[in-house]
């Protein structure tokens, strides 16, 4: 049989190797240019729906256009109109600053079109996922019985984790789940998806540092059991998004053991801090969780989407998800390997482990440890700067890269409403004048500015420059 290449035949949706190369090189060139120029660009760009409708709304063309035109449009008209989440002064929400090998891994995995649902479909990639998940297992300090899988992110990981928790509790008719009032909405959604009524997703009050209050938890569980609910999981935060707060993991673990309740930790934000000595100390008790959600697209410097779920007893995860349809009977060959499609929601899965593997192989663990540690240290330096300032005030001390603070006057009494107006105005100027991208939050109802520092390219000068601008804007706003 002659190959299609030999007889020159190509499908209508194929390109010649020359076109493929030229377009790939141009796309790479544009992305590298973007990354190199990041510090000189604003950390955020956006547009209103009506503005963007005018630029982008069109019918799909019946006939194609030259690929270089399409690439240029994507690079200049679409992709830049977005938050530059990897900008060294992007401190809003949760930044993400991918390493280049991670970006290339996504390209290579897509180019090989890996179907990472079964071992039959992708033995090599599945083996690598086993290896990388085992790295995570040992970083956490989990036993050999533990395992997990890569997911799109922390939301999907916690959802899969709650399925196991529900099954471990015997799939009760009236389940309830407990989490602190600082927990991420991803957990609320995950709980409702697995069948917990919204009113049975119980938000436990927190202490002065926004950590789950054990007495309140205990009281709620007694009350709920009396009213017929069955607790299926207690969730701890290992770095709450708002404040970086870490719940008392050891105490929750003790409580879960004594009450026979599944212990899930949302470590999507802070989990990989465990790679540093400081983080390991702060996250003590994480290894006692029954399941853990972690996001490598946050503090392990991978491009979106790169989350994972780790479960202490991997048999429970597979027990909860494994279904064997006839049309997948061929994937049961060999018994000594996992089919990752049996560990969670997705059957068709991309090969996410490659990103972590290529990045770690390229830079080595020491570089990762230092880069993670740098985020923790910069947030602490920011806290020290804020404490010294005559116009800034700490709202919550630095915790795992997050510091919350507000502009306030030391000389005149400002009420909450005035403070909110002032801080809102300052935040707007920081963004509009392209100093940095930062987001605000509310701590016990009070408006607060928030810096989240976990980009490996962020320097103290980026943080200092931003804080100095906030001080200046603050002074001007207070006196205006
Ligand atoms: C603490 C925490 N949990 C869960 C999530 C949701 O994770 P993802 O967006 O990866 O689904 C986030 C995202 O910022 C988070 O910070």
């Amino acid at each position: 049989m002659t190959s299609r290449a030999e007889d020159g035949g190509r499908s209508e949706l194929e390109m010649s190797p020359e076109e493929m190369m030229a377009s790939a090189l141009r796309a790479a060139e544009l992305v590298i240019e973007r990354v190199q120029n990041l510090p000189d660009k604003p950390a955020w760009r956006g547009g209103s729906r009506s503005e963007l409708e005018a630029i982008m709304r069109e019918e799909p063309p019946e006939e194609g256009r030259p690929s270089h035109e399409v690439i240029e449009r994507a690079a200049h008209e679409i992709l830049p109109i977005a938050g530059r989440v990897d900008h060294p002064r992007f401190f809003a929400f949760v930044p993400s600053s991918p390493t280049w090998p991670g970006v290339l891994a996504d390209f290579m995995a897509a180019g090989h079109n890996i179907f990472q649902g079964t071992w039959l479909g992708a033995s090599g990639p599945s083996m690598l996922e086993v290896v990388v998940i085992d790295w995570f297992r040992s970083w956490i300090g989990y036993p050999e019985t533990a395992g997990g899988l890569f997911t799109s992110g922390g939301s999907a990981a916690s959802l899969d984790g709650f399925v196991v928790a529900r099954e471990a509790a015997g799939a009760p008719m009236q389940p309830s789940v407990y989490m602190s009032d600082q927990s991420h909405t991803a957990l609320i959604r995950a709980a409702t998806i697995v069948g917990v009524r919204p009113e049975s997703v119980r938000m436990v009050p927190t202490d002065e540092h926004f950590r789950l209050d054990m007495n309140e938890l205990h009281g709620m569980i007694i009350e709920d059991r009396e009213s017929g609910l069955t607790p299926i999981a207690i969730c701890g935060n290992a770095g709450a998004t708002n404040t970086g707060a870490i719940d008392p993991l050891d105490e929750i673990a003790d409580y879960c053991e004594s009450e026979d309740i599944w212990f899930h930790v949302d470590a999507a934000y802070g989990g990989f801090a465990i790679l540093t000595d400081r983080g390991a100390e702060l996250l003590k008790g994480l290894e006692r969780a029954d399941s853990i959600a972690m996001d490598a697209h946050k503090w392990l410097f991978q491009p979106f989407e790169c989350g994972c779920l780790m479960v202490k007893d991997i048999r429970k995860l597979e027990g909860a998800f494994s279904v064997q349809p006839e049309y997948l009977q061929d994937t049961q060959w060999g018994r000594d390997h996992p089919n990752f499609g049996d560990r969670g929601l997705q059957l068709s899965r991309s090969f996410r482990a490659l990103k972590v593997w290529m990045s770690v192989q390229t830079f080595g663990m020491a570089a990762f440890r230092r880069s993670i540690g740098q985020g923790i240290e910069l947030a602490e330096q920011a806290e020290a700067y804020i404490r010294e300032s005559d116009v800034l005030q700490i709202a919550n001390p630095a915790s795992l890269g997050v510091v919350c603070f507000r502009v306030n006057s030391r000389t005149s009494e400002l009420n909450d409403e005035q403070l909110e107006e002032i801080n809102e105005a300052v935040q707007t100027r920081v963004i509009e004048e392209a100093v940095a991208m930062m987001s605000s939050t509310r701590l016990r109802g009070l408006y607060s500015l928030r810096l989240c520092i976990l980009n490996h390219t962020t320097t103290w000068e980026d943080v200092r420059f931003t804080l100095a601008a906030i001080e200046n804007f603050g002074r001007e706003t207070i006196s205006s």
Side-chain angles (χ1 to χ4, degrees), residues 113-186:
N113 201 23
I114 298 299
F115 168 81
Q116 181 76 339
T118 63
W119 197 275
L120 178 73
S123 311
S126 295
M127 185 62 225
L128 197 80
E129 186 157 349
V130 168
V131 169
V132 177
I133 287 289
D134 210 48
W135 290 353
F136 293 177
R137 182 191 65 72
S138 72
W139 298 347
I140 293 165
Y142 253 176
E144 299 262 331
T145 53
L149 84 165
F150 277 88
T151 61
S152 57
S155 309
S158 284
L159 173 61
D160 290 349
F162 284 176
V163 173
V164 196
R166 185 192 60 202
E167 296 310 304
M173 294 299 286
Q174 292 190 69
S176 53
V177 164
Y178 303 80
M179 61 189 73
S180 96
D181 59 19
Q182 297 299 303
S183 290
H184 197 277
T185 49

Side-chain angles (χ1 to χ4, degrees), residues 93-94 151-158 182-187 237-242 266-270 293-295 297-298 304-307 450:
F93 313 112
V94 181
T151 61
S152 57
S155 309
S158 284
Q182 297 299 303
S183 290
H184 197 277
T185 49
L187 297 189
N237 286 312
T241 318
N242 234 3
D266 180 4
Y269 172 68
M294 305 207 293
D295 265 348
H297 59 224
K298 294 189 168 82
F304 302 113
E305 304 173 350
C306 202
R450 171 183 170 279

Side-chain angles (χ1 to χ4, degrees), residues 51-72:
E51 258 175 87
L52 300 182
E53 283 275 351
I55 303 173
M56 290 178 210
R57 172 72 63 192
E58 63 184 335
E59 291 302 316
E62 197 49 37
E63 300 301 326
R65 299 174 174 139
S67 78
H68 64 89
E69 271 180 42
V70 179
I71 289 171
E72 298 298 326

